[in-house]
Amino acid sequence: MGLKMYARLLQFLLVAALLPAAPAIAAPDTPTSVFEKTLSNGLKVIVKEDHRAPTVVQQIWYHVGSMDETTGTTGVAHVLEHMMFKGTKNVPAGEFSRRIAAAGGRENAFTSSDYTAYFQQLHKSQLPLAMQLESDRMHNLKLSGQEFDKEIQVVMEERRMRTDDAARSIVYEQLQAVTYVAHPYRNPIIGWMSDLRALVVDDARNWYKSWYAPNNATLVIAGDVKADEVFALAQRYYGPIPARKLPARKPHDEPPQKGVKRIVVKAPAELPYLVMVYHTPSLRDAEQDWKPYALQVLAGVLDGNDSARLGKTLVREQQIANEVGADYDSIARGPSLFMLDGVPGNGKTVADLEAALRDQIALIVKNGVSEEELTRVKSQVTAGEVYKLDSMFYQAMQIGQSESVGLKHTAIPLMLKKLQAVTAQQVQDVAREFLQDDNLTVATLDPQPLTSANQHDQAGEANHVR
Amino acid sequence: MFAKFFFISSNHTKPLPPSGGGVGERGLGEISSPSPIKGEGAARWKFAGREFFALLALLLSAPAFATPAIQHWQAPSGAEVYFVEDHGLPMLDVSVDFYAGAAFEPATQSGVAMLTNGMLNLGAGGLSEDDISRKLADIGAQPGSHFDNDRAGLTMRTLSSETERAQALDVLALMLQSPQFPDAVLAREKARQIALLKESETQPDYIAEKAYGKAVFGDHPYGRSLEAADLEKIQRADLAAFYKAHYVAKGAIVAIMGDIDRAGAEAIAQKLTAQLPAGVAPTEAPPVNTQIAASEQRIAHPAQQSHILLGAPGMARDDPDYVPLYVGNYILGGGGFVSRLMNEVRENRGLAYSVYSYFMPMQQPGGFQIGLQTRKDQADDALALVRDTLRQFIAKGPTAGELQAAKDNIIGGFPLRIDSNKEIHEYLGIIGFYKLPLTYLDDFTAKVDKVTVAQIHEAFRRHIDPDAMATVMVGAPEAKAAK
């Protein structure tokens, strides 16, 4: 054996020694202290005790989002969210925020396709104040026409900023609109501009009356609190609010796709951009389902860490892409998408990038994934479970999200176990089943120069900003 | 990523609390979360320095609540170590920082500081970039970096169990102490950065920031923007030279937070710094000229909104007016929904989704900035309103009621600023880098509590002259757009 050969062998052995024995890291012993109680009006209260710091977070999750909107009033879920800060019978407009601020609190709210949530973070002594204010606006919102007329302008500015003036956001919006033909996920959460212009305060009133009720919400409290005391407070503040009959929810099932769909979006930008989405299931039964877990691991193998396949191969080795990503989120009321996206590298086209991404998928369909990759993804999951304990807010968020899409919070630890149990064969199987052309929608951004995009511009004027 | 959430309020308001998504202030509408699979793996690259220093502005404190006990010592290597021992969670956060931000690079080598920092994890001590990423991924460690105008460094979050901790710190030690800056990787990363830069240069907010930086700071590095031509010229030898001159052991700041004892922390600090370059590096950024003339730039852009920035040089980290300016700014435009700017521009008139003001306290006076975006046809009205609001505030100062509300929020909200390992770790890094007293967290709320209306009024008059500010409007109304 020549020296060189020996050196190579040694190197091989060293590399082999670095391979982790599965599982790479042991699941930590994370104490769970989650308590649950449902009030007689149907409000579910979930308490996560965490005594590391004298703070608390309150989140109220209404199980209603943009997917519950109907034609012509898209955006109303989000507009109502804004209006929730505009005063009740007892608390004048703007006063909610002032009282939370004066209590040292932080607050915000957010609307998704599936739910609408409101939260405050404060010193634990201020929890009663937060509960008093939040329960008040659950049933006493005023919704004045004057406030509405101002706030709808704010929302239109928000749409301009986040969507209309952001090239990739337009790509996503257009992509969603063609990916789904029947499911309301086809509409943007913020709403179409024309619908926003046509919205009136009565639309917001109807929305509020229909959906804002204790029996359509989950209250999550996390922090340095005792569950019993929180339940008593919740009973005091939220308990008296009567339950309401909720509108029927329609299934909106998306019919099977019958072949690849493609769109091009032209917008002011420098770099082209590619997004590919495949229809996939979301998690319905945390115990029985296995495909969503396998899809999650597949996304992890492709793009879950710095050494994952897509970045390593397409950005670093082949330099076909400047940026590349894969994503799949199993937690949704409606169907899910498996997404691949990226920006072509210098001298490469979106077609080159699409071909390269397809090659990566084909490789997995043909050869599967290695045990080493699988183990690495699972190590990320295990470590992530520890890191998540550093954020009370995120722990509460995970609980609220799960409950809002119809999974129990008790499914959270189960989901972890299920992820750890995913096999290489299952990853290969879901890649084969879902990542195929008949199931695919492709969107590309065709970048336009700044000048030609603005027809009102005087000639040459925009040049000096380049 | 698809925007999954739309918020009632943007995260634009600075200064940011150190929780959540780290330094990326642009992450509107996405909740940053330690998603189990995708990880939080900090961005490999931090682009265009000026946008990423939001963290520096966050130092606050209050004594009425327990603060973490900070231990400080000098390692045998000469590094300054800041340590909080906490065994509540089986994890560890570690960072090492240097006076190696963009302010320390030669004017002729714009981008060299950023590239040096960004390449530390792309080949080190005989490990390739893939070896590095694989070794860290295997143990679920989360590498990250700091990069702004003053500060540059690396961070690592790892499980504290022995095998994982050892492997994460072994890799971190190599990245810090024997980076290789491989030529091929540099060529690739330059090309990627240049492409990203060209993309940014089409975005109205970036164009506005760039023009603002130039107008407020002139040629000072705090206002310098990356240029493709400068990046193009940078060679491996430039990175190696910058590294050798600025990533030195003496004065490096090591911040350690979490599940380790003092002896373990001492060993870690020495292991991460003993093999750093020797010598003494400059620790002072060049002085900022704080007097500027009024200017206004109107730049055409096809966006539907005008992006408006107003500003001037503001205050340094060690400014004696730090506290009154901080509290005053909360009232003016820092306090989210309850600020004057928010009330006038958004709540009363519906002119914008986001409007804010902030001071960016840096080693030298950083920027004071007011920003908003609004539909083009009302941009001039909105700008006039913002200017009036500022003038009024500077002419008359805050009211006693406003000051009390500000104190209630800042003091009452103090516990939220230190309720995670991540936040405490970030404070350690800032306290070390800016040589703040170890009692900083204990002292600050007492200082806030003592601030008077008159002090705020005077501090603003001393620092901000409404007649000597830079204004930038990108996507200016067409009729008035500049030639």
Side-chain angles (χ1 to χ4, degrees):
Chain A
M1 189 190 293
L3 245 188
K4 241 182 194 167
M5 186 71 162
Y6 178 76
R8 200 174 297 152
L9 186 64
L10 192 66
Q11 202 176 19
F12 175 75
L13 289 174
L14 277 173
V15 170
L18 295 175
L19 297 183
I25 46 186
D29 183 22
T30 49
T32 49
S33 43
V34 185
F35 305 88
E36 176 188 328
K37 183 181 179 181
T38 301
L39 307 185
S40 59
N41 61 9
L43 178 68
K44 190 188 266 192
V45 185
I46 300 173
V47 180
K48 160 84 194 171
E49 288 189 12
D50 180 336
H51 304 290
R52 292 202 307 140
T55 57
V56 66
V57 54
Q58 164 173 257
Q59 299 175 347
I60 184 108
W61 294 73
Y62 291 98
H63 306 171
V64 64
S66 63
M67 70 173 278
D68 302 295
E69 295 164 349
T70 49
T71 314
T73 56
T74 64
V76 70
H78 171 248
V79 169
L80 195 274
E81 177 225 302
H82 276 236
M83 292 304 295
M84 287 283 276
F85 294 80
K86 294 300 180 180
T88 68
K89 287 183 222 158
N90 314 307
V91 179
E95 190 62 24
F96 187 105
S97 298
R98 272 190 285 278
R99 289 191 199 171
I100 293 297
R106 297 178 194 156
E107 57 156 353
N108 212 328
F110 49 92
T111 305
S112 86
S113 50
D114 295 355
Y115 45 75
T116 312
Y118 303 79
F119 67 84
Q120 302 84 32
Q121 294 165 277
L122 320 95
H123 186 263
K124 62 179 177 179
S125 63
Q126 302 290 353
L127 181 61
L129 171 76
M131 280 202 177
Q132 182 200 338
L133 287 166
E134 194 63 86
S135 61
D136 174 49
R137 67 179 175 181
M138 180 181 275
H139 64 134
N140 288 327
L141 198 64
K142 247 170 88 179
L143 285 164
S144 93
Q146 205 187 345
E147 293 291 345
F148 181 89
D149 292 345
K150 281 189 291 187
E151 199 60 24
I152 195 74
Q153 297 296 325
V154 171
V155 172
M156 285 192 255
E157 291 295 349
E158 183 178 0
R159 188 192 148 88
R160 288 184 189 103
M161 183 177 93
R162 291 225 180 121
T163 304
D164 298 319
D165 286 348
R168 287 188 196 177
S169 298
I170 304 176
V171 175
Y172 300 139
E173 184 172 276
Q174 298 279 318
L175 175 66
Q176 294 267 38
V178 298
T179 300
Y180 295 108
V181 297
H183 198 277
Y185 281 177
R186 68 199 316 274
N187 293 315
I189 296 165
I190 198 160
W192 299 106
M193 189 60 106
S194 156
D195 288 354
L196 293 179
R197 288 208 175 92
L199 274 185
V200 293
V201 67
D202 273 341
D203 294 318
R205 287 193 185 119
N206 289 338
W207 188 260
Y208 181 67
K209 276 188 212 145
S210 302
W211 298 113
Y212 278 64
N215 48 317
N216 194 34
T218 302
L219 178 68
V220 186
I221 307 286
D224 189 12
V225 291
K226 294 207 177 78
D228 285 348
E229 292 171 16
V230 173
F231 292 143
L233 280 173
Q235 178 58 41
R236 178 174 161 200
Y237 289 109
Y238 293 91
I241 304 171
R244 267 187 203 179
K245 188 173 183 309
L246 300 171
R249 296 182 197 260
K250 308 286 186 182
H252 303 297
D253 287 340
E254 181 68 14
Q257 190 171 331
K258 297 295 186 188
V260 66
K261 295 190 253 190
R262 290 181 178 276
I263 59 164
V264 175
V265 175
K266 292 182 173 181
E270 172 71 23
L271 302 176
Y273 177 61
L274 170 78
V275 198
M276 304 165 67
V277 292
Y278 300 87
H279 288 289
T280 46
S282 46
L283 189 63
R284 289 281 163 270
D285 182 331
E287 177 64 52
Q288 296 300 321
D289 291 349
W290 63 270
K291 289 174 185 174
Y293 301 117
L295 285 162
Q296 234 176 311
V297 173
L298 174 60
V301 167
L302 289 170
D303 184 37
N305 56 75
D306 283 347
S307 77
R309 284 194 182 199
L310 294 185
K312 175 174 157 49
T313 313
L314 302 189
V315 177
R316 301 209 290 273
E317 287 171 10
Q318 300 177 10
Q319 303 185 19
I320 289 172
N322 247 344
E323 303 166 40
V324 72
D327 198 40
Y328 166 77
D329 186 357
S330 66
I331 307 296
R333 277 170 58 196
S336 284
L337 297 173
F338 193 97
M339 175 169 111
L340 302 171
D341 71 337
V343 173
N346 277 1
K348 303 291 180 184
T349 64
V350 284
D352 297 334
L353 178 54
E354 183 182 333
L357 285 166
R358 284 167 177 276
D359 285 349
Q360 290 298 313
I361 300 306
L363 266 179
I364 289 183
V365 169
K366 184 160 170 260
N367 301 331
V369 299
S370 70
E371 283 302 323
E372 189 195 337
E373 287 172 297
L374 212 57
T375 306
R376 193 170 295 137
V377 168
K378 292 175 182 179
S379 294
Q380 306 277 309
V381 175
T382 308
E385 278 309 295
V386 175
Y387 303 149
K388 113 180 175 193
L389 297 176
D390 196 35
S391 168
M392 271 192 268
F393 185 87
Y394 178 69
Q395 294 175 73
M397 172 107 192
Q398 207 180 18
I399 291 169
Q401 221 170 9
S402 302
E403 293 281 339
S404 297
V405 304
L407 298 165
K408 301 271 169 282
H409 70 86
T410 47
I412 294 169
L414 177 63
M415 280 152 53
L416 272 173
K417 284 204 192 89
K418 293 286 184 176
L419 273 175
Q420 298 290 356
V422 168
T423 65
Q425 185 62 50
Q426 288 177 321
V427 175
Q428 190 174 6
D429 288 347
V430 291
R432 182 178 293 129
E433 180 176 354
F434 297 107
L435 305 194
Q436 44 169 303
D437 270 10
D438 287 355
N439 208 14
L440 168 68
T441 306
V442 184
T444 53
L445 170 63
D446 179 4
Q448 301 295 304
L450 294 188
T451 39
S452 69
N454 185 1
Q455 293 163 357
H456 303 295
D457 242 354
Q458 288 154 33
E461 232 177 32
N463 279 335
H464 77 281
V465 304
R466 298 296 301 274
Chain B
M1 269 308 300
F2 294 106
K4 289 199 173 141
F5 307 104
F6 282 84
F7 287 79
I8 176 73
S9 166
S10 80
N11 302 328
H12 257 249
T13 310
K14 302 182 219 182
L16 291 182
S19 57
V23 292
E25 79 193 71
R26 307 276 148 176
L28 292 175
E30 290 278 336
I31 285 198
S32 135
S33 60
S35 147
I37 294 257
K38 297 282 290 180
E40 245 186 331
R44 230 176 210 300
W45 289 93
K46 303 218 169 140
F47 187 64
R50 277 188 302 106
E51 295 191 5
F52 289 92
F53 50 10
L55 268 185
L56 299 187
L58 46 88
L59 264 204
L60 268 247
S61 98
F65 310 100
T67 55
I70 301 173
Q71 303 179 49
H72 170 230
W73 66 91
Q74 190 179 53
S77 66
E80 303 291 333
V81 191
Y82 297 81
F83 171 52
V84 169
E85 179 172 351
D86 187 309
H87 303 285
L89 296 175
M91 55 189 264
L92 190 65
D93 286 287
V94 178
S95 60
V96 182
D97 288 314
F98 304 90
Y99 297 86
F104 294 92
E105 68 193 5
T108 53
Q109 289 188 346
S110 173
V112 75
M114 183 197 76
L115 281 171
T116 301
N117 181 251
M119 293 231 1
L120 294 176
N121 63 349
L122 302 183
L127 298 180
S128 70
E129 54 181 334
D130 286 325
D131 297 335
I132 290 172
S133 55
R134 202 169 50 242
K135 277 174 164 257
L136 294 177
D138 280 342
I139 52 166
Q142 295 185 339
S145 63
H146 291 145
F147 184 80
D148 60 45
N149 278 324
D150 290 345
R151 183 168 71 142
L154 294 183
T155 67
M156 186 69 68
R157 169 166 272 197
T158 175
L159 299 177
S160 55
S161 40
E162 201 174 327
T163 315
E164 285 73 30
R165 187 184 74 215
Q167 184 157 328
L169 296 174
D170 283 349
V171 174
L172 180 60
L174 290 176
M175 296 192 297
L176 286 164
Q177 298 173 108
S178 36
Q180 291 170 327
F181 309 116
D183 268 321
V185 176
L186 176 61
R188 182 193 74 212
E189 293 305 323
K190 273 161 57 176
R192 288 182 65 206
Q193 287 303 304
I194 289 167
L196 282 171
L197 181 61
K198 287 182 175 166
E199 175 66 32
S200 296
E201 285 172 346
T202 67
Q203 312 291 331
D205 51 352
Y206 181 86
I207 296 168
E209 284 283 350
K210 184 172 174 173
Y212 162 89
K214 182 84 185 152
V216 170
F217 292 105
D219 291 333
H220 190 278
Y222 282 3
R224 197 185 290 153
S225 293
L226 291 174
E227 298 294 342
D230 294 334
L231 285 173
E232 197 61 69
K233 283 186 299 195
I234 293 171
Q235 299 301 317
R236 184 187 178 283
D238 301 323
L239 303 190
F242 186 83
Y243 169 80
K244 189 159 183 285
H246 296 280
Y247 283 72
V248 300
K250 187 168 172 44
I253 292 98
V254 182
I256 302 172
M257 164 78 210
D259 183 23
I260 189 104
D261 61 16
R262 167 72 184 241
E266 287 183 11
I268 288 170
Q270 181 65 4
K271 173 192 173 78
L272 295 178
T273 55
Q275 305 300 319
L276 283 168
V280 177
T283 58
E284 290 258 323
V288 166
N289 173 16
T290 56
Q291 302 300 315
I292 63 166
S295 66
E296 183 167 327
Q297 293 177 72
R298 290 170 168 260
I299 300 171
H301 192 282
Q304 297 192 15
Q305 287 183 315
S306 298
H307 291 244
I308 302 171
L309 295 178
L310 292 82
M315 64 166 163
R317 168 67 58 188
D318 61 0
D319 195 303
D321 284 334
Y322 181 93
V323 173
L325 290 175
Y326 181 87
V327 177
N329 184 66
Y330 173 91
I331 297 165
L332 174 65
F337 276 120
V338 297
S339 77
R340 278 200 192 182
L341 286 169
M342 192 65 139
N343 264 302
E344 294 297 332
V345 176
R346 174 169 161 166
E347 300 297 293
N348 293 345
R349 293 178 184 80
L351 287 173
Y353 172 68
S354 161
V355 56
Y356 61 84
S357 67
Y358 69 83
F359 284 93
M360 185 58 61
M362 301 291 285
Q363 191 192 62
Q364 303 295 328
F368 168 70
Q369 187 184 87
I370 299 177
L372 70 155
Q373 309 82 22
T374 190
R375 208 174 69 209
K376 272 182 183 167
D377 62 351
Q378 60 195 17
D380 284 306
D381 293 343
L383 175 58
L385 177 63
V386 164
R387 283 179 167 155
D388 278 355
T389 307
L390 177 66
R391 264 178 209 288
Q392 180 85 359
F393 186 75
I394 289 175
K396 299 194 173 160
T399 66
E402 284 175 322
L403 176 57
Q404 190 54 52
K407 288 180 179 179
D408 288 346
N409 180 261
I410 295 167
I411 296 170
F414 176 71
L416 295 173
R417 296 171 184 270
I418 51 167
D419 68 355
S420 70
N421 289 18
K422 180 176 224 141
E423 289 161 309
I424 292 168
H425 178 245
E426 282 165 2
Y427 279 116
L428 288 181
I430 297 280
I431 287 171
F433 189 86
Y434 290 105
K435 304 284 173 261
L436 304 172
L438 294 186
T439 55
Y440 195 85
L441 289 172
D442 305 299
D443 301 341
F444 197 85
T445 43
K447 291 184 184 167
V448 169
D449 201 30
K450 287 198 196 95
V451 168
T452 65
V453 166
Q455 285 170 342
I456 292 172
H457 191 195
E458 285 157 22
F460 263 82
R461 287 169 69 106
R462 266 195 293 277
H463 283 80
I464 304 299
D465 176 359
D467 294 318
M469 292 181 68
T471 303
V472 175
M473 191 187 274
V474 174
E478 271 89 31
K480 292 187 179 177
K483 302 244 162 57

